[in-house]
Amino acid sequence: MTPVRVLHFVTGGFSGGATQVAVQLVNAAREGDAIEPLLVLRRKRHADPSRIVELRKAGVPLELVAGWSHAATISALVSVCKRFKPDVLVAHGFSEHLWGRYAGLLAKVPHLVHVEHNTRERYTAWRRAQARWLARRTDRIVGCSEGVRQALLAMGMPAERTIAIPNGVRLEPFADADAHPFTQRIPGIVMVARFSKQKDHATVLRALALLRARGLSPPLLFAGGGKDLHRKPLERLADELGIAAQVRFLGVVRNVPELLMTHQLAVLGTHYEGMPLALLEGMAAGCAVVGSAVPGVREVLEDGVDGLLVAESDPVAMADALERVLRDPGRAARMAATARQVALQRHGRALMNRRYEDLFLSLAGRG
């Protein structure tokens, strides 16, 4: 039987979870014979070209389409569809899911899938109307968590075709986590997140200043890329708060598993999420995890059992949670061990991959 052809269309910016998930699904399909995948990236002006080179060297089937205008993107993607002839087109993330599905309709792709990766996006009334119109012509609308599914339903997406497939992370890089006993790790904080309006680095910095006043001075590592527009004010804030010596802005790093497995705390200050991959990685690494209590994060953590939830944008609540972990390493170690087991059992990419593969095969009549 010929494999089902699945085209994944996503931004080529590499800054968010949507691209990570799309790349992972393509790689998972390459390891089997049921699906023939193709990754199509929309060009982004400030994207790191080395990432494209890496993907191609790794053998990822990849094409780039124009990103300078929506019309150019749609036209180029229609051409790719006519060459590749996908059975299923999967459009990931805002606003790519609009342009991807328009192209799929024009190219007469048999089945369309929209994957939403956040509970909050920059929908105008016009774009919301487009999403609803496209939803009537889309086979499945997938939220990357139950929180995202609920947000989609609140937008008016059809309940009978709107489902949740939770994100997962690669567990293999964290296989040695148990070789790093919690009490022997650096009692420091790692936050893996790009610098953007979505992420709340500022609250973590203000919490660190409060901890300093309480006699605690843990190091804080910010790992992630992003624009100077968002990073520079945070660097100034660290100076103003008198904690610059404790804070390191690492930029994009390739040793995230190592960072997490050698530190005690993984933190995610955020204003909204889909399913936070960084927090799942912190759990898999055996860290004590602290996250903002927003949809997407609330589904991942059970407060006081496998992590701590704090009110959004509340430095005092964040400082209180961090202090609990730092002053009671025994309890923190127990939470960290529970978090790791939860990650291993519920949040591996193998489970996510299987759920998506089942969906694609079902839509193509192979389920």
PDB file of all heavy atoms in Angstrom, residues 247-272:
ATOM      1  N   VAL A 247      22.058  37.051  37.181  1.00  0.00           N
ATOM      2  CA  VAL A 247      21.272  36.694  35.992  1.00  0.00           C
ATOM      3  C   VAL A 247      22.175  36.573  34.772  1.00  0.00           C
ATOM      4  O   VAL A 247      23.008  37.447  34.516  1.00  0.00           O
ATOM      5  CB  VAL A 247      20.176  37.753  35.723  1.00  0.00           C
ATOM      6  CG1 VAL A 247      19.305  37.314  34.542  1.00  0.00           C
ATOM      7  CG2 VAL A 247      19.325  37.973  36.971  1.00  0.00           C
ATOM      8  N   ARG A 248      22.000  35.498  34.006  1.00  0.00           N
ATOM      9  CA  ARG A 248      22.736  35.310  32.758  1.00  0.00           C
ATOM     10  C   ARG A 248      21.742  35.179  31.608  1.00  0.00           C
ATOM     11  O   ARG A 248      20.823  34.355  31.660  1.00  0.00           O
ATOM     12  CB  ARG A 248      23.618  34.072  32.822  1.00  0.00           C
ATOM     13  CG  ARG A 248      24.768  34.184  33.813  1.00  0.00           C
ATOM     14  CD  ARG A 248      25.544  32.885  33.872  1.00  0.00           C
ATOM     15  NE  ARG A 248      26.110  32.533  32.573  1.00  0.00           N
ATOM     16  CZ  ARG A 248      26.584  31.317  32.277  1.00  0.00           C
ATOM     17  NH1 ARG A 248      26.536  30.350  33.176  1.00  0.00           N
ATOM     18  NH2 ARG A 248      27.096  31.078  31.084  1.00  0.00           N
ATOM     19  N   PHE A 249      21.913  36.011  30.593  1.00  0.00           N
ATOM     20  CA  PHE A 249      21.112  35.950  29.377  1.00  0.00           C
ATOM     21  C   PHE A 249      21.918  35.137  28.358  1.00  0.00           C
ATOM     22  O   PHE A 249      22.845  35.649  27.735  1.00  0.00           O
ATOM     23  CB  PHE A 249      20.827  37.357  28.859  1.00  0.00           C
ATOM     24  CG  PHE A 249      19.908  38.160  29.743  1.00  0.00           C
ATOM     25  CD1 PHE A 249      20.395  38.809  30.877  1.00  0.00           C
ATOM     26  CD2 PHE A 249      18.560  38.268  29.451  1.00  0.00           C
ATOM     27  CE1 PHE A 249      19.557  39.545  31.700  1.00  0.00           C
ATOM     28  CE2 PHE A 249      17.705  39.003  30.261  1.00  0.00           C
ATOM     29  CZ  PHE A 249      18.205  39.638  31.382  1.00  0.00           C
ATOM     30  N   LEU A 250      21.562  33.873  28.198  1.00  0.00           N
ATOM     31  CA  LEU A 250      22.380  32.950  27.418  1.00  0.00           C
ATOM     32  C   LEU A 250      22.101  32.998  25.921  1.00  0.00           C
ATOM     33  O   LEU A 250      22.920  32.519  25.132  1.00  0.00           O
ATOM     34  CB  LEU A 250      22.153  31.512  27.910  1.00  0.00           C
ATOM     35  CG  LEU A 250      22.457  31.237  29.385  1.00  0.00           C
ATOM     36  CD1 LEU A 250      22.129  29.792  29.728  1.00  0.00           C
ATOM     37  CD2 LEU A 250      23.908  31.556  29.710  1.00  0.00           C
ATOM     38  N   GLY A 251      20.944  33.536  25.528  1.00  0.00           N
ATOM     39  CA  GLY A 251      20.571  33.466  24.129  1.00  0.00           C
ATOM     40  C   GLY A 251      20.130  32.051  23.778  1.00  0.00           C
ATOM     41  O   GLY A 251      19.814  31.233  24.650  1.00  0.00           O
ATOM     42  N   VAL A 252      20.129  31.747  22.487  1.00  0.00           N
ATOM     43  CA  VAL A 252      19.759  30.401  22.048  1.00  0.00           C
ATOM     44  C   VAL A 252      20.869  29.429  22.426  1.00  0.00           C
ATOM     45  O   VAL A 252      22.035  29.670  22.126  1.00  0.00           O
ATOM     46  CB  VAL A 252      19.521  30.365  20.529  1.00  0.00           C
ATOM     47  CG1 VAL A 252      19.220  28.937  20.065  1.00  0.00           C
ATOM     48  CG2 VAL A 252      18.382  31.300  20.142  1.00  0.00           C
ATOM     49  N   VAL A 253      20.497  28.349  23.097  1.00  0.00           N
ATOM     50  CA  VAL A 253      21.489  27.352  23.513  1.00  0.00           C
ATOM     51  C   VAL A 253      21.084  25.982  22.972  1.00  0.00           C
ATOM     52  O   VAL A 253      19.909  25.713  22.743  1.00  0.00           O
ATOM     53  CB  VAL A 253      21.629  27.293  25.047  1.00  0.00           C
ATOM     54  CG1 VAL A 253      22.118  28.608  25.601  1.00  0.00           C
ATOM     55  CG2 VAL A 253      20.315  26.898  25.701  1.00  0.00           C
ATOM     56  N   ARG A 254      22.086  25.146  22.763  1.00  0.00           N
ATOM     57  CA  ARG A 254      21.834  23.798  22.247  1.00  0.00           C
ATOM     58  C   ARG A 254      22.011  22.731  23.318  1.00  0.00           C
ATOM     59  O   ARG A 254      21.919  21.550  22.999  1.00  0.00           O
ATOM     60  CB  ARG A 254      22.773  23.532  21.062  1.00  0.00           C
ATOM     61  CG  ARG A 254      22.576  24.490  19.899  1.00  0.00           C
ATOM     62  CD  ARG A 254      21.151  24.433  19.381  1.00  0.00           C
ATOM     63  NE  ARG A 254      20.899  25.373  18.323  1.00  0.00           N
ATOM     64  CZ  ARG A 254      21.082  25.121  17.032  1.00  0.00           C
ATOM     65  NH1 ARG A 254      21.557  23.946  16.656  1.00  0.00           N
ATOM     66  NH2 ARG A 254      20.795  26.032  16.130  1.00  0.00           N
ATOM     67  N   ASN A 255      22.282  23.139  24.553  1.00  0.00           N
ATOM     68  CA  ASN A 255      22.490  22.151  25.620  1.00  0.00           C
ATOM     69  C   ASN A 255      21.417  22.286  26.705  1.00  0.00           C
ATOM     70  O   ASN A 255      21.707  22.186  27.894  1.00  0.00           O
ATOM     71  CB  ASN A 255      23.879  22.319  26.237  1.00  0.00           C
ATOM     72  CG  ASN A 255      24.051  23.660  26.937  1.00  0.00           C
ATOM     73  OD1 ASN A 255      23.394  24.636  26.576  1.00  0.00           O
ATOM     74  ND2 ASN A 255      24.930  23.713  27.914  1.00  0.00           N
ATOM     75  N   VAL A 256      20.182  22.527  26.285  1.00  0.00           N
ATOM     76  CA  VAL A 256      19.092  22.692  27.250  1.00  0.00           C
ATOM     77  C   VAL A 256      18.967  21.494  28.185  1.00  0.00           C
ATOM     78  O   VAL A 256      18.843  21.676  29.409  1.00  0.00           O
ATOM     79  CB  VAL A 256      17.757  22.981  26.523  1.00  0.00           C
ATOM     80  CG1 VAL A 256      16.573  22.829  27.480  1.00  0.00           C
ATOM     81  CG2 VAL A 256      17.765  24.391  25.939  1.00  0.00           C
ATOM     82  N   PRO A 257      18.985  20.249  27.691  1.00  0.00           N
ATOM     83  CA  PRO A 257      18.895  19.123  28.632  1.00  0.00           C
ATOM     84  C   PRO A 257      19.970  19.155  29.710  1.00  0.00           C
ATOM     85  O   PRO A 257      19.687  18.915  30.898  1.00  0.00           O
ATOM     86  CB  PRO A 257      19.038  17.895  27.734  1.00  0.00           C
ATOM     87  CG  PRO A 257      18.507  18.352  26.403  1.00  0.00           C
ATOM     88  CD  PRO A 257      18.970  19.779  26.287  1.00  0.00           C
ATOM     89  N   GLU A 258      21.206  19.478  29.316  1.00  0.00           N
ATOM     90  CA  GLU A 258      22.294  19.543  30.296  1.00  0.00           C
ATOM     91  C   GLU A 258      22.042  20.642  31.326  1.00  0.00           C
ATOM     92  O   GLU A 258      22.256  20.439  32.534  1.00  0.00           O
ATOM     93  CB  GLU A 258      23.618  19.793  29.581  1.00  0.00           C
ATOM     94  CG  GLU A 258      24.813  19.912  30.513  1.00  0.00           C
ATOM     95  CD  GLU A 258      26.083  20.307  29.782  1.00  0.00           C
ATOM     96  OE1 GLU A 258      26.119  20.230  28.539  1.00  0.00           O
ATOM     97  OE2 GLU A 258      27.037  20.714  30.465  1.00  0.00           O
ATOM     98  N   LEU A 259      21.609  21.814  30.853  1.00  0.00           N
ATOM     99  CA  LEU A 259      21.314  22.905  31.780  1.00  0.00           C
ATOM    100  C   LEU A 259      20.276  22.490  32.803  1.00  0.00           C
ATOM    101  O   LEU A 259      20.416  22.730  34.007  1.00  0.00           O
ATOM    102  CB  LEU A 259      20.806  24.128  31.015  1.00  0.00           C
ATOM    103  CG  LEU A 259      21.812  25.007  30.287  1.00  0.00           C
ATOM    104  CD1 LEU A 259      21.096  26.133  29.567  1.00  0.00           C
ATOM    105  CD2 LEU A 259      22.841  25.572  31.257  1.00  0.00           C
ATOM    106  N   LEU A 260      19.208  21.868  32.324  1.00  0.00           N
ATOM    107  CA  LEU A 260      18.123  21.490  33.218  1.00  0.00           C
ATOM    108  C   LEU A 260      18.555  20.398  34.189  1.00  0.00           C
ATOM    109  O   LEU A 260      18.252  20.467  35.384  1.00  0.00           O
ATOM    110  CB  LEU A 260      16.918  21.028  32.402  1.00  0.00           C
ATOM    111  CG  LEU A 260      16.208  22.122  31.597  1.00  0.00           C
ATOM    112  CD1 LEU A 260      15.187  21.511  30.641  1.00  0.00           C
ATOM    113  CD2 LEU A 260      15.522  23.129  32.523  1.00  0.00           C
ATOM    114  N   MET A 261      19.258  19.399  33.697  1.00  0.00           N
ATOM    115  CA  MET A 261      19.619  18.271  34.562  1.00  0.00           C
ATOM    116  C   MET A 261      20.674  18.617  35.596  1.00  0.00           C
ATOM    117  O   MET A 261      20.890  17.845  36.535  1.00  0.00           O
ATOM    118  CB  MET A 261      20.086  17.089  33.709  1.00  0.00           C
ATOM    119  CG  MET A 261      18.959  16.431  32.928  1.00  0.00           C
ATOM    120  SD  MET A 261      19.433  14.868  32.107  1.00  0.00           S
ATOM    121  CE  MET A 261      20.594  15.454  30.873  1.00  0.00           C
ATOM    122  N   THR A 262      21.332  19.761  35.445  1.00  0.00           N
ATOM    123  CA  THR A 262      22.345  20.162  36.432  1.00  0.00           C
ATOM    124  C   THR A 262      21.850  21.275  37.347  1.00  0.00           C
ATOM    125  O   THR A 262      22.613  21.766  38.185  1.00  0.00           O
ATOM    126  CB  THR A 262      23.628  20.618  35.719  1.00  0.00           C
ATOM    127  OG1 THR A 262      23.319  21.645  34.770  1.00  0.00           O
ATOM    128  CG2 THR A 262      24.291  19.448  35.013  1.00  0.00           C
ATOM    129  N   HIS A 263      20.590  21.673  37.207  1.00  0.00           N
ATOM    130  CA  HIS A 263      19.994  22.699  38.073  1.00  0.00           C
ATOM    131  C   HIS A 263      18.743  22.146  38.746  1.00  0.00           C
ATOM    132  O   HIS A 263      18.101  21.234  38.236  1.00  0.00           O
ATOM    133  CB  HIS A 263      19.662  23.959  37.271  1.00  0.00           C
ATOM    134  CG  HIS A 263      20.867  24.746  36.870  1.00  0.00           C
ATOM    135  ND1 HIS A 263      21.705  24.356  35.844  1.00  0.00           N
ATOM    136  CD2 HIS A 263      21.403  25.900  37.369  1.00  0.00           C
ATOM    137  CE1 HIS A 263      22.684  25.227  35.716  1.00  0.00           C
ATOM    138  NE2 HIS A 263      22.541  26.171  36.628  1.00  0.00           N
ATOM    139  N   GLN A 264      18.400  22.749  39.866  1.00  0.00           N
ATOM    140  CA  GLN A 264      17.271  22.228  40.647  1.00  0.00           C
ATOM    141  C   GLN A 264      15.919  22.729  40.159  1.00  0.00           C
ATOM    142  O   GLN A 264      14.929  22.007  40.253  1.00  0.00           O
ATOM    143  CB  GLN A 264      17.445  22.590  42.128  1.00  0.00           C
ATOM    144  CG  GLN A 264      18.582  21.859  42.812  1.00  0.00           C
ATOM    145  CD  GLN A 264      18.642  22.139  44.306  1.00  0.00           C
ATOM    146  OE1 GLN A 264      18.006  23.059  44.825  1.00  0.00           O
ATOM    147  NE2 GLN A 264      19.426  21.336  45.023  1.00  0.00           N
ATOM    148  N   LEU A 265      15.853  23.950  39.657  1.00  0.00           N
ATOM    149  CA  LEU A 265      14.555  24.547  39.348  1.00  0.00           C
ATOM    150  C   LEU A 265      14.402  24.860  37.866  1.00  0.00           C
ATOM    151  O   LEU A 265      15.328  25.401  37.238  1.00  0.00           O
ATOM    152  CB  LEU A 265      14.358  25.854  40.126  1.00  0.00           C
ATOM    153  CG  LEU A 265      14.061  25.753  41.612  1.00  0.00           C
ATOM    154  CD1 LEU A 265      15.366  25.790  42.394  1.00  0.00           C
ATOM    155  CD2 LEU A 265      13.170  26.900  42.055  1.00  0.00           C
ATOM    156  N   ALA A 266      13.230  24.549  37.330  1.00  0.00           N
ATOM    157  CA  ALA A 266      12.828  24.993  35.993  1.00  0.00           C
ATOM    158  C   ALA A 266      11.574  25.834  36.161  1.00  0.00           C
ATOM    159  O   ALA A 266      10.589  25.388  36.767  1.00  0.00           O
ATOM    160  CB  ALA A 266      12.551  23.807  35.081  1.00  0.00           C
ATOM    161  N   VAL A 267      11.623  27.044  35.647  1.00  0.00           N
ATOM    162  CA  VAL A 267      10.539  28.007  35.860  1.00  0.00           C
ATOM    163  C   VAL A 267      10.007  28.469  34.512  1.00  0.00           C
ATOM    164  O   VAL A 267      10.771  28.611  33.550  1.00  0.00           O
ATOM    165  CB  VAL A 267      11.046  29.219  36.675  1.00  0.00           C
ATOM    166  CG1 VAL A 267       9.980  30.304  36.774  1.00  0.00           C
ATOM    167  CG2 VAL A 267      11.450  28.766  38.073  1.00  0.00           C
ATOM    168  N   LEU A 268       8.708  28.692  34.454  1.00  0.00           N
ATOM    169  CA  LEU A 268       8.118  29.312  33.275  1.00  0.00           C
ATOM    170  C   LEU A 268       7.155  30.402  33.709  1.00  0.00           C
ATOM    171  O   LEU A 268       6.037  30.127  34.148  1.00  0.00           O
ATOM    172  CB  LEU A 268       7.381  28.281  32.407  1.00  0.00           C
ATOM    173  CG  LEU A 268       6.771  28.863  31.123  1.00  0.00           C
ATOM    174  CD1 LEU A 268       7.871  29.409  30.210  1.00  0.00           C
ATOM    175  CD2 LEU A 268       5.932  27.833  30.400  1.00  0.00           C
ATOM    176  N   GLY A 269       7.629  31.648  33.612  1.00  0.00           N
ATOM    177  CA  GLY A 269       6.737  32.777  33.777  1.00  0.00           C
ATOM    178  C   GLY A 269       6.136  33.095  32.416  1.00  0.00           C
ATOM    179  O   GLY A 269       6.866  33.281  31.443  1.00  0.00           O
ATOM    180  N   THR A 270       4.815  33.145  32.328  1.00  0.00           N
ATOM    181  CA  THR A 270       4.177  33.315  31.025  1.00  0.00           C
ATOM    182  C   THR A 270       2.783  33.917  31.190  1.00  0.00           C
ATOM    183  O   THR A 270       2.165  33.784  32.244  1.00  0.00           O
ATOM    184  CB  THR A 270       4.094  31.957  30.294  1.00  0.00           C
ATOM    185  OG1 THR A 270       3.534  32.147  29.002  1.00  0.00           O
ATOM    186  CG2 THR A 270       3.250  30.956  31.072  1.00  0.00           C
ATOM    187  N   HIS A 271       2.327  34.570  30.135  1.00  0.00           N
ATOM    188  CA  HIS A 271       0.987  35.161  30.143  1.00  0.00           C
ATOM    189  C   HIS A 271      -0.038  34.236  29.514  1.00  0.00           C
ATOM    190  O   HIS A 271      -1.216  34.307  29.825  1.00  0.00           O
ATOM    191  CB  HIS A 271       0.998  36.503  29.415  1.00  0.00           C
ATOM    192  CG  HIS A 271       1.884  37.524  30.047  1.00  0.00           C
ATOM    193  ND1 HIS A 271       1.674  37.997  31.331  1.00  0.00           N
ATOM    194  CD2 HIS A 271       3.003  38.151  29.596  1.00  0.00           C
ATOM    195  CE1 HIS A 271       2.622  38.885  31.633  1.00  0.00           C
ATOM    196  NE2 HIS A 271       3.437  38.989  30.603  1.00  0.00           N
ATOM    197  N   TYR A 272       0.385  33.389  28.612  1.00  0.00           N
ATOM    198  CA  TYR A 272      -0.511  32.397  28.006  1.00  0.00           C
ATOM    199  C   TYR A 272       0.329  31.324  27.341  1.00  0.00           C
ATOM    200  O   TYR A 272       1.481  31.547  26.989  1.00  0.00           O
ATOM    201  CB  TYR A 272      -1.468  33.039  26.989  1.00  0.00           C
ATOM    202  CG  TYR A 272      -0.802  33.782  25.860  1.00  0.00           C
ATOM    203  CD1 TYR A 272      -0.532  33.155  24.648  1.00  0.00           C
ATOM    204  CD2 TYR A 272      -0.455  35.132  25.988  1.00  0.00           C
ATOM    205  CE1 TYR A 272       0.070  33.837  23.609  1.00  0.00           C
ATOM    206  CE2 TYR A 272       0.143  35.817  24.946  1.00  0.00           C
ATOM    207  CZ  TYR A 272       0.398  35.172  23.758  1.00  0.00           C
ATOM    208  OH  TYR A 272       1.000  35.851  22.732  1.00  0.00           O
TER     209      TYR A 272
END
